[in-house]
């Protein structure tokens, strides 16, 4: 039961990363005026920290599950970690391209 709750929590964390990416992408779209210059807000350090906070928590969770000798849940946590890292790289790329 605990493993199922942790899997749901990790799935919600990954959905949170996707939501943050979508909101960041929509914020960079501008108002749509053809001649207007897009403002350059610079690198969003809080956004980058938030993007990498979730994979760090997933890595810690994977380590804890592996050290508790729970191989199936450690493998699931590892898969969530891989997806979280891929999303964090994508969000980092997006935030750096906005700047």
């Amino acid at each position: 039961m605990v493993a199922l709750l942790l899997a749901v929590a990790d799935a919600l964390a990954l959905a949170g990363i996707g939501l943050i990416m979508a909101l960041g992408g929509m914020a960079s779209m501008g108002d749509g005026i053809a001649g207007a210059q897009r403002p350059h807000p610079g690198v969003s350090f809080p956004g980058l920290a938030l993007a990498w906070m979730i994979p760090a928590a997933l890595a810690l969770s994977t380590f804890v599950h592996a050290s508790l000798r729970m191989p199936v849940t450690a493998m699931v946590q590892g898969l969530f970690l891989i997806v979280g890292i891929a999303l964090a790289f994508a969000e980092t790329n997006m935030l750096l391209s906005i700047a």
Side-chain angles (χ1 to χ4, degrees):
M1 187 67 174
V2 173
L4 181 62
L5 288 174
L6 288 173
V8 169
D10 289 338
L12 290 175
L14 293 176
I17 291 176
L19 179 66
I20 291 169
M21 288 177 64
L23 292 176
M26 285 190 296
S28 69
M29 291 179 65
D31 57 359
I33 300 173
Q37 280 193 339
R38 188 180 85 174
H40 294 282
V43 177
S44 171
F45 291 111
L48 288 174
L50 186 61
W52 287 100
M53 185 85 60
I54 302 293
L58 290 171
L60 179 65
S61 178
T62 303
F63 175 74
V64 168
H65 281 258
S67 65
L68 291 175
R69 298 178 189 247
M70 300 170 67
V72 174
T73 57
M75 183 182 71
V76 171
Q77 297 290 342
L79 293 174
F80 278 128
L81 174 63
I82 291 169
V83 172
I85 288 173
L87 287 173
F89 273 125
E91 186 171 356
T92 300
N93 187 19
M94 179 191 68
L95 289 172
L96 291 177
S97 68
I98 292 171

